[in-house]
């Protein structure tokens, strides 16, 4: 199985084959993502029965959980995805563990629980922090004994599943705040994976954007293939609080609503342009000590001009006035710097 996730996305391939879904691929060449793919192979094939995934919203926790399942010898058995925040508290126990006939009002028949239905496979406990204290205690017992009791039953049932728990809250903080059991936390975090936010993945933003352009072009019949350099700059500086999901949604919206083959600044929501402009520039590439003088000055000039043009919605005369230049001088600078003429 070592090749499973590698086969899905071989290292070194910059632009994945267009497909109609991204769900099977973990795209990225940033060192943190390369390491993550290796970890998925290794942990996937290991005997680890509990894995904890941490990452901000939209960083790919659900995707990584599915890849871990696919990389394991449990792949032919079910992958059961349970969102602990979506099932109301009183229902959760019978949903997870099942119940016997007559065990409570409305229990008209025997019902198999989600955990039992995953026997031999993987249970993905998404938003595990949202379990209340009672369910946290029951989960701990289940993790320790691999046994559970259906609601209303006196007998215990054995189950063979791998548990993958995910959270976008720092669980240790929740433990300190008394909202999460410390013994459950230590039990869960034996094997843990951290998914970095998109803003820390360097050029992976562009790989992901291009891959999603390919998907949307296929699905929606659009023809968007490129990102304008000014859009690249905004993408680099914007914080992406919704991470990969936010990027995918933005690309999809543009493919649905805009014409042309290049994503332009005017296609982006004002809010994103504004927030990107207000953000600090991304850190210089490691090891280089920053770009040389001429390159740095040119970057600064491009930034100033790009910001003025963005503020003035691409109107050359207005941008020139804002910068204290003549229209002719601004046009000359734009050409000299190799920027796109509005
Ligand atoms: N590295 C990646 N390569 C390709 N697609 C990715 C990558 N990371 C995330 N995605 C895609 O981004 C979207 C969001 O990912 P996912 O639902 O797994 O995030 P999440 O961390 O579970 O979010 P939430 O915390 O909101 O549940 C999905 O469409 C997923 O396929
Ligand atoms: Mg998720």
């Amino acid at each position: 199985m070592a090749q499973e996730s590698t086969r899905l996305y071989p290292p070194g391939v910059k632009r994945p084959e267009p497909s109609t879904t991204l769900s099977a691929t973990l795209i990225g060449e940033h060192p943190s993502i390369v390491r993550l793919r290796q970890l998925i192979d290794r942990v996937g094939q290991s005997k680890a029965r509990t894995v904890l995934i941490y990452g901000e919203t939209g960083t790919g926790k659900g995707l990584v959980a599915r890849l871990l399942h696919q990389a394991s010898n449990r792949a032919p058995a079910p992958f059961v995805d349970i969102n602990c925040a979506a099932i109301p508290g009183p229902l959760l126990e019978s949903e997870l563990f099942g119940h016997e006939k007559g065990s409570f009002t409305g229990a008209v028949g025997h019902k198999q629980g989600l955990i039992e239905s995953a026997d031999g496979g993987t249970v993905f406990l998404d938003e595990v922090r949202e379990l209340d204290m009672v369910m946290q205690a029951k989960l701990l017992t289940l993790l320790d004994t691999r046994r559970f009791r259906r609601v209303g039953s006196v007998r215990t049932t054995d189950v063979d599943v791998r548990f993958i728990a995910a959270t976008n809250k720092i669980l240790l903080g929740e433990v300190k705040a008394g909202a999460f059991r410390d013994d459950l936390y230590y039990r869960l975090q034996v094997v843990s994976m951290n998914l970095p936010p998109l803003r820390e993945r360097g050029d992976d933003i562009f790989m992901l954007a291009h891959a999603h352009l390919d998907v949307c072009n296929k699905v929606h019949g659009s023809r968007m293939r490129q990102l304008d350099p000014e859009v690249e700059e905004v993408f680099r500086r914007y914080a992406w609080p919704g991470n990969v999901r936010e990027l995918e949604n933005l690309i999809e919206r543009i493919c649905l609503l805009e014409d042309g083959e290049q994503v332009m600044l005017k296609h982006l929501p004002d809010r994103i342009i504004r927030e990107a402009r207000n953000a600090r520039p991304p850190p210089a590439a490691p090891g280089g000590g920053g770009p040389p003088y001429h390159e740095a000055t040119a970057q600064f000039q491009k930034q100033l001009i790009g910001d003025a043009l963005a503020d003035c919605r691409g109107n050359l005369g207005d941008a020139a006035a804002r910068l204290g230049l003549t229209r002719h001088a601004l046009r000359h600078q734009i050409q000299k710097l190799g920027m796109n003429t509005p």
Side-chain angles (χ1 to χ4, degrees):
M1 283 288 182
Q3 285 135 12
E4 184 68 64
S5 59
T6 324
R7 182 178 58 74
L8 292 169
Y9 181 53
V13 175
K14 293 291 176 211
R15 195 179 178 106
E17 280 299 303
S19 76
T20 49
T21 169
L22 287 182
S23 64
T25 51
L26 185 76
I27 295 167
E29 286 302 326
H30 189 269
S32 61
I33 299 299
V34 172
R35 267 199 312 276
L36 186 64
R37 270 200 297 272
Q38 290 163 352
L39 201 60
I40 290 172
D41 279 338
R42 182 150 191 159
V43 173
Q45 295 165 72
S46 76
K47 300 233 177 308
R49 300 227 274 178
T50 322
V51 182
L52 179 64
I53 305 175
Y54 167 76
E56 289 179 12
T57 181
T59 45
K61 298 184 292 296
L63 174 59
V64 168
R66 282 192 299 278
L67 290 176
L68 277 169
H69 176 70
Q70 283 170 25
S72 74
N73 59 9
R74 299 174 174 274
F79 173 85
V80 176
D81 183 344
I82 303 169
N83 187 328
C84 302
I87 307 177
L91 270 184
L92 192 59
E93 185 177 357
S94 96
E95 286 295 318
L96 292 187
F97 301 127
H99 60 243
E100 300 295 348
K101 184 174 173 181
S103 53
F104 54 86
T105 323
V108 284
H110 155 93
K111 182 179 165 198
Q112 190 187 51
L114 290 169
I115 287 171
E116 205 175 341
S117 74
D119 201 20
T122 305
V123 167
F124 177 41
L125 292 170
D126 203 1
E127 302 199 45
V128 69
R129 154 68 190 88
E130 302 313 316
L131 292 178
D132 65 22
M133 283 296 181
V134 175
M135 286 307 294
Q136 287 180 28
K138 289 188 193 267
L139 177 61
L140 182 66
T141 310
L142 173 62
L143 295 181
D144 282 341
T145 63
R146 303 280 150 179
R147 284 202 178 122
F148 66 93
R149 213 185 287 276
R150 291 191 197 118
V151 177
S153 173
V154 286
R155 285 204 320 270
T156 55
T157 307
D158 290 332
V159 72
D160 167 29
V161 291
R162 168 184 279 169
F163 287 93
I164 303 179
T167 176
N168 56 19
K169 304 231 168 73
I170 297 178
L171 280 188
L172 196 54
E174 301 295 309
V175 169
K176 290 196 175 131
F180 202 79
R181 288 179 70 110
D182 57 352
D183 43 9
L184 179 57
Y185 166 69
Y186 290 112
R187 187 76 181 70
L188 285 175
Q189 63 97 57
V190 175
V191 179
S192 63
M193 296 183 169
N194 272 353
L195 306 197
L198 183 58
R199 62 187 165 277
E200 289 173 13
R201 297 190 203 174
D203 286 353
D204 280 9
I205 295 178
F206 307 122
M207 284 177 81
L208 284 157
H210 281 291
H212 208 63
L213 280 174
D214 287 341
V215 171
C216 292
N217 287 340
K218 238 180 160 183
V219 173
H220 300 302
S222 45
R223 292 178 296 119
M224 291 283 181
R225 307 266 326 150
Q226 309 282 342
L227 303 178
D228 181 84
E230 285 173 319
V231 171
E232 287 188 353
E233 190 56 25
V234 168
F235 277 18
R236 217 184 268 288
R237 294 177 70 126
Y238 180 59
W240 299 106
N243 293 290
V244 184
R245 182 179 300 109
E246 184 181 7
L247 175 67
E248 288 186 349
N249 290 344
L250 175 66
I251 296 281
E252 180 159 25
R253 198 186 81 119
I254 293 169
C255 287
L256 278 169
L257 300 182
E258 309 291 352
D259 295 322
E261 297 188 0
Q262 193 164 30
V263 180
M264 307 299 292
L265 208 56
K266 64 179 179 195
H267 299 155
L268 304 183
D270 289 344
R271 179 188 59 82
I272 290 187
I273 297 175
R274 206 172 43 244
E275 287 182 20
R277 281 189 42 225
N278 292 337
R280 279 189 299 143
Y293 174 79
H294 290 297
E295 206 183 306
T297 334
Q299 270 178 19
F300 183 62
Q301 287 175 312
K302 277 189 194 173
Q303 187 67 50
L304 271 181
I305 294 174
D307 286 354
L309 285 169
D311 272 350
C312 303
R313 307 297 292 173
N315 185 308
L316 203 65
D318 291 352
R322 174 177 284 237
L323 291 165
L325 296 172
T326 63
R327 202 183 153 92
H328 176 74
L330 178 57
R331 190 183 290 282
H332 177 71
Q333 280 299 324
I334 288 174
Q335 280 162 359
K336 201 172 108 190
L337 293 165
M339 299 172 73
N340 285 342
T341 319

